[in-house]
Amino acid sequence: MSLSTKRRFFWMQEDRAAAAKHGGEINAWHTLSLPGVICGTCGETWANTGHEYPCVDLSQLPELKAFERPRPEPFPEFTRLRELVRPLAPLHSELPPGTGFGPLVGRASGKFGPFAWVWGQKLLVRRDALTQLKTEGIRGLHACPTQLRFRQKDPPALLELQIPPHGRLHPDCIPSDEPSPCVTCGRWGLARPEVPILDAASLPTDMDLFKVGNFATMVVGTERFVEAVHRLGLDGIRFQELPARDGVAPPHGM
């Protein structure tokens, strides 16, 4: 039996009906980030989305102000700033332009279910739901405090999940005429495929929650994660099964 038939994976997105039922609202962002890039090779000015490390603390960096103002920088300066951050980030993190760091900062109001989403990409979990998932044996859950200012008394304890990018899209869902990433800055202009397919051989085997490595706006959960969420009756996530095929991962880095 092939690897792709042994494991099942699900694209996780906000359940808007559940969010509307609870009525909570969040307007927040990561106040520290790598700058965007002005690339002299491909001519693009860009920053990525979906790469966030809320548990990474940059507060002791001597050039902290360089990470406070979103802006594009020439690639050599971006590279210099990225190397200042790298020792603080998880091992093997790609850290593309626009990567966010530190706690989620902003305003929140209303009630929230077990899960809440910010801008449809950042996944927050109530502390009690996190405890339940860990009790169920869900692997790779790394939650970080937020700095959300609530209007009401006794606000819910919401934590942001630090979800690492792993794995790749399968070559079968990438157009054959899609240009390769820029050799200098790594920019890859691929739009999300209409039917995303995961490269089964590239996917992690030791965690139940991750983002797609070369399309990090996609949050993926394993069958174990989905079953635990359903068993515990935790709402807030809509699951769509993704096909996964064996094969060699494409050489696209971002």
Side-chain angles (χ1 to χ4, degrees), residues 87-130:
L88 305 175
L91 192 63
H92 305 309
S93 301
E94 291 184 351
L95 305 178
T99 298
F101 304 98
L104 199 62
V105 178
R107 298 181 181 275
S109 62
K111 297 181 179 180
F112 294 90
F115 296 103
W117 296 78
V118 182
W119 312 120
Q121 296 180 12
K122 309 178 202 309
L123 181 57
L124 276 59
V125 61
R126 239 175 26 209
R127 188 181 299 277
D128 59 310
L130 177 68

Side-chain angles (χ1 to χ4, degrees), residues 53-77:
Y53 295 94
C55 297
V56 172
D57 181 8
L58 303 187
S59 61
Q60 300 305 310
L61 287 179
E63 297 186 47
L64 184 62
K65 288 187 177 299
F67 303 93
E68 293 178 347
R69 182 173 61 87
R71 69 201 183 282
E73 291 281 4
F75 186 70
E77 174 63 5

Side-chain angles (χ1 to χ4, degrees), residues 32-37 46-52 78 95-101:
L32 300 176
S33 65
L34 286 172
V37 157
W46 67 285
N48 218 325
T49 57
H51 291 259
E52 288 131 357
F78 161 77
L95 305 178
T99 298
F101 304 98

Side-chain angles (χ1 to χ4, degrees), residues 139-216:
R139 304 164 299 171
L141 296 180
H142 193 185
C144 320
T146 58
Q147 292 182 5
L148 298 175
R149 300 185 298 277
F150 283 84
R151 298 175 184 174
Q152 70 263 32
K153 295 181 180 179
D154 301 320
L158 291 177
L159 306 171
E160 183 179 4
L161 288 167
Q162 180 168 289
I163 307 174
H166 285 283
R168 292 289 185 267
L169 293 176
H170 194 280
D172 287 353
C173 70
I174 300 172
S176 59
D177 59 351
E178 178 67 32
S180 297
C182 174
V183 296
T184 298
C185 70
R187 182 182 181 274
W188 189 32
L190 176 70
R192 188 176 66 217
E194 185 174 342
V195 181
I197 302 170
L198 300 176
D199 189 308
S202 74
L203 302 178
T205 59
D206 59 348
M207 59 183 61
D208 293 310
L209 185 66
F210 58 94
K211 294 180 178 179
V212 179
N214 57 355
F215 216 98

